[in-house]
């Protein structure tokens, strides 16, 4: 009888996608509670923003870069990513990419305008969480990572990390947003990246893992964090500095490290998920059909002219 395969588990098959979705949801929920519902978190956010020196020696340069994040630019970059994916015949992934961008940015606007509109401890203060510019830049970075071929994905992690990190940290440098606003944007993008992967995934067990010369779970995240550090260096050259004072410097650099790591690790998580679940099926190859065993195994002995199963008798005259 043919052996029965164990029953498939939908949860096991989609566990990696669900984990990314839950990571984004938990990150968003925790930062909302800490930054909007606790006095310590509210004070810390305000102190960090007040510690940045705005436009110390190149006024307006960071702001000019941030203003390049516009709807036409987002549409163009998303369309390019869709064309790259369509060239690899990943039809469902191509449909998922604009859903990621639109879903993440609309969720951010919905949270800012409908749900997180005021701070319970001070209703007069209007909440700016999540950061719209950060959500736009990080969602475009996620789209680039998902659309990139696997061989180029490490390089794309580095470049997209620099762009997303520059945008997210730049909103803090210009005092447009608090650190919690940028971290909340990462949570929103993780949620929608999981949704996009759920739409475009190849459901095989186990998911495809490409043998590589380095551990991609570490490599992707490390390169994305390195890219964020490069973006922070560019911001520094454009004028991002702390105000004079040891406390201000500590708050600024600590916030840059925490927010930068969050952005880089979030993009690395999306890259690993794309490596495992988003890939083009190879051409169909005929698989051998397993033999059906209906009885006890038998031993087959090769037949030869002088083998053990052949009886040789001397030839006598008259025999035919």
């Amino acid at each position: 009888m043919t052996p029965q395969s164990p029953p498939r588990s939908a949860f096991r098959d989609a566990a990696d996608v669900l984990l990314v979705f839950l990571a984004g949801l938990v990150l968003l929920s925790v930062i909302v509670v800490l930054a909007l519902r606790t006095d310590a978190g509210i004070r810390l956010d305000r102190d960090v923003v007040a510690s940045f020196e705005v436009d110390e020696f190149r006024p307006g340069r960071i702001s000019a870069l941030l203003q390049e994040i516009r709807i036409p630019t987002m549409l163009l970059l998303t369309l390019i990513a869709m064309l790259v994916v369509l060239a690899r015949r990943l039809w469902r992934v191509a449909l998922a990419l604009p859903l990621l961008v639109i879903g993440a940015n609309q969720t951010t606007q919905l949270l800012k305008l409908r749900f997180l509109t005021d701070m319970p401890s001070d209703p007069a203060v209007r909440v700016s969480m999540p950061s719209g510019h950060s959500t736009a830049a990080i969602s475009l970075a996620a789209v680039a990572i998902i659309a990139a071929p696997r061989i180029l994905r490490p390089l794309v992690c580095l470049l997209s990390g620099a762009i997303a990190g520059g945008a997210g940290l730049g909103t803090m440098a210009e005092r447009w947003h608090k650190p919690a606003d940028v971290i909340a944007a990462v949570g929103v993008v993780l949620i929608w990246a999981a949704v996009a992967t759920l739409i475009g995934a190849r459901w095989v067990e186990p998911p495809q893992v490409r043998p590589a010369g380095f551990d991609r779970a570490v490599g992707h995240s490390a390169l994305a964090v390195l890219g964020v550090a490069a973006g922070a260096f560019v911001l520094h050259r454009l004028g991002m500095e702390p105000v004079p004072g040891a406390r201000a410097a500590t708050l600024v650099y600590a916030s840059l490290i925490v927010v930068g790591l969050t952005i880089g690790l979030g993009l690395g998580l999306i890259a690993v998920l794309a490596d495992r679940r988003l890939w083009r099926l190879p051409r169909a190859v005929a698989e051998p059909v397993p033999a059906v065993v209906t009885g006890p195994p038998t031993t087959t002995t090769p037949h030869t002219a002088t083998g053990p199963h052949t009886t040789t008798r001397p030839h006598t005259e008259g025999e035919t």
Side-chain angles (χ1 to χ4, degrees):
M1 298 179 62
T2 56
Q4 296 292 329
S5 59
R8 295 289 294 271
S9 168
F11 178 82
R12 182 187 62 188
D13 286 354
D16 46 4
V17 180
L18 292 174
L19 286 175
V20 173
F21 181 86
L22 291 175
L25 189 61
V26 169
L27 181 63
L28 179 60
S29 302
V30 169
I31 202 65
V32 166
V33 172
L34 292 179
L36 302 183
R37 302 294 188 266
T38 63
D39 293 336
I42 295 170
R43 287 195 304 270
L44 182 62
D45 250 1
R46 289 176 177 174
D47 291 346
V48 169
V49 171
S51 298
F52 278 94
E53 180 75 47
V54 181
D55 297 330
E56 183 185 14
F57 50 87
R58 292 193 180 182
R61 297 295 296 273
I62 298 177
S63 177
L65 290 178
L66 293 176
Q67 289 174 2
E68 292 300 319
I69 304 175
R70 298 175 294 176
I71 292 179
T73 305
M74 296 171 62
L75 291 176
L76 177 62
L77 295 177
T78 304
L79 179 60
I80 293 173
M82 292 177 65
L83 293 176
V84 171
V85 170
L86 287 173
R88 296 158 55 204
R89 301 197 300 274
L90 294 172
W91 316 111
R92 289 184 288 117
V93 178
L95 295 176
L97 293 181
L99 177 65
L100 192 164
V101 175
I102 296 173
N105 287 276
Q106 288 301 311
T107 300
T108 288
Q109 296 303 318
L110 188 65
L111 289 174
K112 291 172 65 171
L113 300 178
R114 294 293 181 89
F115 295 101
L116 304 177
T117 56
D118 52 32
M119 199 172 297
S121 62
D122 190 355
V125 176
R126 186 160 186 84
V127 178
S128 58
M129 177 188 293
S131 166
H133 281 78
S134 300
T135 302
I138 298 169
S139 63
L140 289 176
V143 163
I145 289 172
I146 290 174
R150 302 186 71 172
I151 192 172
L152 297 177
R153 192 162 284 137
L155 177 61
V156 175
C157 283
L158 179 66
L159 297 177
S160 62
I163 296 172
L169 301 178
T171 61
M172 294 164 50
E174 286 290 330
R175 295 185 180 179
W176 291 4
H177 285 284
K178 308 177 185 69
D181 300 348
V182 182
I183 295 175
V186 177
V188 171
V189 174
L190 282 176
I191 292 171
W192 281 98
V195 173
T197 306
L198 188 66
I199 295 173
R202 300 291 184 184
W203 299 111
V204 294
E205 179 63 30
Q208 177 172 323
V209 178
R210 171 180 172 169
F214 65 99
D215 187 346
R216 288 188 167 236
V218 175
H220 285 321
S221 300
L223 288 171
V225 170
L226 183 62
V228 174
F233 177 75
V234 172
L235 294 177
H236 167 69
R237 299 301 301 168
L238 294 178
M240 182 178 69
E241 291 284 347
V243 298
R247 185 174 184 274
T250 301
L251 289 175
V252 165
Y253 293 125
S255 66
L256 292 177
I257 291 172
V258 171
V259 177
L261 283 175
T262 304
I263 295 174
L265 293 177
L267 294 178
L269 196 59
I270 294 171
V272 173
L273 187 61
D275 260 3
R276 289 171 58 86
R277 290 296 183 182
L278 303 176
W279 44 280
R280 183 170 64 85
L281 285 176
R283 293 181 178 179
V285 179
E287 297 183 357
V289 179
V292 178
V293 180
T294 58
T298 58
T299 305
T300 304
T301 306
H303 176 73
T304 58
T306 58
H309 295 284
T310 303
T311 304
T312 305
R313 295 185 301 164
H315 177 71
T316 58
E317 190 176 351
E319 289 185 345
T320 58

PDB file of all heavy atoms in Angstrom, residues 88-90 92 202-204 208 279-284:
ATOM      1  N   ARG A  88       9.291  38.598 -15.074  1.00  0.00           N
ATOM      2  CA  ARG A  88       9.600  37.278 -14.512  1.00  0.00           C
ATOM      3  C   ARG A  88       8.351  36.408 -14.371  1.00  0.00           C
ATOM      4  O   ARG A  88       8.396  35.355 -13.748  1.00  0.00           O
ATOM      5  CB  ARG A  88      10.276  37.467 -13.151  1.00  0.00           C
ATOM      6  CG  ARG A  88      11.626  38.167 -13.254  1.00  0.00           C
ATOM      7  CD  ARG A  88      12.021  38.801 -11.941  1.00  0.00           C
ATOM      8  NE  ARG A  88      12.013  37.856 -10.854  1.00  0.00           N
ATOM      9  CZ  ARG A  88      11.861  38.179  -9.572  1.00  0.00           C
ATOM     10  NH1 ARG A  88      11.666  39.450  -9.251  1.00  0.00           N
ATOM     11  NH2 ARG A  88      11.871  37.271  -8.643  1.00  0.00           N
ATOM     12  N   ARG A  89       7.229  36.900 -14.911  1.00  0.00           N
ATOM     13  CA  ARG A  89       5.968  36.152 -14.942  1.00  0.00           C
ATOM     14  C   ARG A  89       5.426  35.870 -13.537  1.00  0.00           C
ATOM     15  O   ARG A  89       4.810  34.841 -13.285  1.00  0.00           O
ATOM     16  CB  ARG A  89       6.113  34.839 -15.723  1.00  0.00           C
ATOM     17  CG  ARG A  89       6.550  35.051 -17.143  1.00  0.00           C
ATOM     18  CD  ARG A  89       6.284  33.829 -17.990  1.00  0.00           C
ATOM     19  NE  ARG A  89       6.960  32.654 -17.524  1.00  0.00           N
ATOM     20  CZ  ARG A  89       8.205  32.328 -17.855  1.00  0.00           C
ATOM     21  NH1 ARG A  89       8.900  33.117 -18.651  1.00  0.00           N
ATOM     22  NH2 ARG A  89       8.761  31.221 -17.415  1.00  0.00           N
ATOM     23  N   LEU A  90       5.635  36.802 -12.636  1.00  0.00           N
ATOM     24  CA  LEU A  90       5.049  36.708 -11.294  1.00  0.00           C
ATOM     25  C   LEU A  90       3.796  37.583 -11.275  1.00  0.00           C
ATOM     26  O   LEU A  90       3.792  38.702 -10.764  1.00  0.00           O
ATOM     27  CB  LEU A  90       6.062  37.163 -10.236  1.00  0.00           C
ATOM     28  CG  LEU A  90       7.299  36.288 -10.073  1.00  0.00           C
ATOM     29  CD1 LEU A  90       8.304  36.947  -9.144  1.00  0.00           C
ATOM     30  CD2 LEU A  90       6.944  34.911  -9.553  1.00  0.00           C
ATOM     31  N   ARG A  92       0.746  37.444  -9.815  1.00  0.00           N
ATOM     32  CA  ARG A  92       0.084  37.809  -8.562  1.00  0.00           C
ATOM     33  C   ARG A  92       0.932  38.774  -7.745  1.00  0.00           C
ATOM     34  O   ARG A  92       0.403  39.628  -7.034  1.00  0.00           O
ATOM     35  CB  ARG A  92      -0.251  36.552  -7.766  1.00  0.00           C
ATOM     36  CG  ARG A  92      -1.381  35.748  -8.401  1.00  0.00           C
ATOM     37  CD  ARG A  92      -1.792  34.562  -7.565  1.00  0.00           C
ATOM     38  NE  ARG A  92      -0.782  33.507  -7.583  1.00  0.00           N
ATOM     39  CZ  ARG A  92      -0.119  33.078  -6.525  1.00  0.00           C
ATOM     40  NH1 ARG A  92      -0.351  33.629  -5.343  1.00  0.00           N
ATOM     41  NH2 ARG A  92       0.766  32.125  -6.620  1.00  0.00           N
ATOM     42  N   ARG A 202       4.211  31.389  -3.279  1.00  0.00           N
ATOM     43  CA  ARG A 202       4.140  30.032  -3.790  1.00  0.00           C
ATOM     44  C   ARG A 202       4.030  29.102  -2.592  1.00  0.00           C
ATOM     45  O   ARG A 202       4.945  29.010  -1.783  1.00  0.00           O
ATOM     46  CB  ARG A 202       5.392  29.682  -4.593  1.00  0.00           C
ATOM     47  CG  ARG A 202       5.614  30.575  -5.803  1.00  0.00           C
ATOM     48  CD  ARG A 202       4.571  30.336  -6.856  1.00  0.00           C
ATOM     49  NE  ARG A 202       4.854  31.127  -8.061  1.00  0.00           N
ATOM     50  CZ  ARG A 202       4.067  31.165  -9.112  1.00  0.00           C
ATOM     51  NH1 ARG A 202       2.936  30.484  -9.111  1.00  0.00           N
ATOM     52  NH2 ARG A 202       4.380  31.894 -10.163  1.00  0.00           N
ATOM     53  N   TRP A 203       2.891  28.417  -2.477  1.00  0.00           N
ATOM     54  CA  TRP A 203       2.630  27.626  -1.282  1.00  0.00           C
ATOM     55  C   TRP A 203       3.161  26.212  -1.455  1.00  0.00           C
ATOM     56  O   TRP A 203       2.497  25.325  -1.954  1.00  0.00           O
ATOM     57  CB  TRP A 203       1.141  27.622  -0.953  1.00  0.00           C
ATOM     58  CG  TRP A 203       0.651  28.996  -0.676  1.00  0.00           C
ATOM     59  CD1 TRP A 203      -0.192  29.743  -1.427  1.00  0.00           C
ATOM     60  CD2 TRP A 203       1.015  29.814   0.439  1.00  0.00           C
ATOM     61  NE1 TRP A 203      -0.378  30.977  -0.863  1.00  0.00           N
ATOM     62  CE2 TRP A 203       0.348  31.048   0.281  1.00  0.00           C
ATOM     63  CE3 TRP A 203       1.850  29.628   1.548  1.00  0.00           C
ATOM     64  CZ2 TRP A 203       0.470  32.092   1.194  1.00  0.00           C
ATOM     65  CZ3 TRP A 203       1.971  30.672   2.443  1.00  0.00           C
ATOM     66  CH2 TRP A 203       1.289  31.869   2.270  1.00  0.00           C
ATOM     67  N   VAL A 204       4.409  26.033  -1.083  1.00  0.00           N
ATOM     68  CA  VAL A 204       5.034  24.716  -1.082  1.00  0.00           C
ATOM     69  C   VAL A 204       5.567  24.471   0.312  1.00  0.00           C
ATOM     70  O   VAL A 204       5.817  25.388   1.081  1.00  0.00           O
ATOM     71  CB  VAL A 204       6.183  24.639  -2.109  1.00  0.00           C
ATOM     72  CG1 VAL A 204       5.640  24.762  -3.520  1.00  0.00           C
ATOM     73  CG2 VAL A 204       7.231  25.701  -1.844  1.00  0.00           C
ATOM     74  N   GLN A 208      10.864  27.556  -0.514  1.00  0.00           N
ATOM     75  CA  GLN A 208      12.151  27.514  -1.188  1.00  0.00           C
ATOM     76  C   GLN A 208      13.180  28.331  -0.432  1.00  0.00           C
ATOM     77  O   GLN A 208      12.933  29.455  -0.044  1.00  0.00           O
ATOM     78  CB  GLN A 208      12.007  28.052  -2.606  1.00  0.00           C
ATOM     79  CG  GLN A 208      13.324  28.124  -3.361  1.00  0.00           C
ATOM     80  CD  GLN A 208      13.108  28.476  -4.811  1.00  0.00           C
ATOM     81  OE1 GLN A 208      12.150  28.035  -5.420  1.00  0.00           O
ATOM     82  NE2 GLN A 208      13.982  29.276  -5.367  1.00  0.00           N
ATOM     83  N   TRP A 279       8.853  33.561  -5.801  1.00  0.00           N
ATOM     84  CA  TRP A 279       9.798  33.095  -6.801  1.00  0.00           C
ATOM     85  C   TRP A 279       9.014  32.497  -7.957  1.00  0.00           C
ATOM     86  O   TRP A 279       7.885  32.082  -7.816  1.00  0.00           O
ATOM     87  CB  TRP A 279      10.763  32.069  -6.215  1.00  0.00           C
ATOM     88  CG  TRP A 279      10.133  31.024  -5.352  1.00  0.00           C
ATOM     89  CD1 TRP A 279       9.770  31.163  -4.040  1.00  0.00           C
ATOM     90  CD2 TRP A 279       9.746  29.699  -5.719  1.00  0.00           C
ATOM     91  NE1 TRP A 279       9.199  30.013  -3.573  1.00  0.00           N
ATOM     92  CE2 TRP A 279       9.173  29.083  -4.587  1.00  0.00           C
ATOM     93  CE3 TRP A 279       9.853  28.973  -6.893  1.00  0.00           C
ATOM     94  CZ2 TRP A 279       8.694  27.793  -4.595  1.00  0.00           C
ATOM     95  CZ3 TRP A 279       9.376  27.665  -6.900  1.00  0.00           C
ATOM     96  CH2 TRP A 279       8.814  27.088  -5.765  1.00  0.00           C
ATOM     97  N   ARG A 280       9.652  32.441  -9.117  1.00  0.00           N
ATOM     98  CA  ARG A 280       9.011  31.930 -10.321  1.00  0.00           C
ATOM     99  C   ARG A 280       9.144  30.429 -10.397  1.00  0.00           C
ATOM    100  O   ARG A 280      10.220  29.870 -10.190  1.00  0.00           O
ATOM    101  CB  ARG A 280       9.628  32.569 -11.565  1.00  0.00           C
ATOM    102  CG  ARG A 280       8.965  32.141 -12.866  1.00  0.00           C
ATOM    103  CD  ARG A 280       9.461  33.006 -14.003  1.00  0.00           C
ATOM    104  NE  ARG A 280      10.883  32.823 -14.236  1.00  0.00           N
ATOM    105  CZ  ARG A 280      11.389  31.849 -14.990  1.00  0.00           C
ATOM    106  NH1 ARG A 280      10.587  30.982 -15.566  1.00  0.00           N
ATOM    107  NH2 ARG A 280      12.683  31.767 -15.163  1.00  0.00           N
ATOM    108  N   LEU A 281       8.037  29.761 -10.703  1.00  0.00           N
ATOM    109  CA  LEU A 281       8.066  28.309 -10.844  1.00  0.00           C
ATOM    110  C   LEU A 281       8.897  27.910 -12.058  1.00  0.00           C
ATOM    111  O   LEU A 281       8.781  28.510 -13.127  1.00  0.00           O
ATOM    112  CB  LEU A 281       6.648  27.762 -11.004  1.00  0.00           C
ATOM    113  CG  LEU A 281       5.790  27.720  -9.748  1.00  0.00           C
ATOM    114  CD1 LEU A 281       4.395  27.257 -10.107  1.00  0.00           C
ATOM    115  CD2 LEU A 281       6.389  26.805  -8.717  1.00  0.00           C
ATOM    116  N   PRO A 282       9.758  26.885 -11.929  1.00  0.00           N
ATOM    117  CA  PRO A 282      10.493  26.421 -13.104  1.00  0.00           C
ATOM    118  C   PRO A 282       9.563  25.715 -14.072  1.00  0.00           C
ATOM    119  O   PRO A 282       8.421  25.423 -13.762  1.00  0.00           O
ATOM    120  CB  PRO A 282      11.523  25.458 -12.498  1.00  0.00           C
ATOM    121  CG  PRO A 282      10.886  24.976 -11.246  1.00  0.00           C
ATOM    122  CD  PRO A 282      10.068  26.128 -10.727  1.00  0.00           C
ATOM    123  N   ARG A 283      10.077  25.431 -15.249  1.00  0.00           N
ATOM    124  CA  ARG A 283       9.290  24.697 -16.214  1.00  0.00           C
ATOM    125  C   ARG A 283       8.922  23.325 -15.667  1.00  0.00           C
ATOM    126  O   ARG A 283       9.693  22.688 -14.965  1.00  0.00           O
ATOM    127  CB  ARG A 283      10.067  24.536 -17.524  1.00  0.00           C
ATOM    128  CG  ARG A 283      10.287  25.861 -18.264  1.00  0.00           C
ATOM    129  CD  ARG A 283      11.031  25.636 -19.547  1.00  0.00           C
ATOM    130  NE  ARG A 283      11.202  26.889 -20.274  1.00  0.00           N
ATOM    131  CZ  ARG A 283      11.844  26.980 -21.428  1.00  0.00           C
ATOM    132  NH1 ARG A 283      12.363  25.904 -21.985  1.00  0.00           N
ATOM    133  NH2 ARG A 283      11.954  28.149 -22.018  1.00  0.00           N
ATOM    134  N   ALA A 284       7.739  22.890 -16.054  1.00  0.00           N
ATOM    135  CA  ALA A 284       7.247  21.617 -15.529  1.00  0.00           C
ATOM    136  C   ALA A 284       8.160  20.481 -15.961  1.00  0.00           C
ATOM    137  O   ALA A 284       8.528  20.357 -17.132  1.00  0.00           O
ATOM    138  CB  ALA A 284       5.828  21.363 -16.025  1.00  0.00           C
TER     139      ALA A 284
END
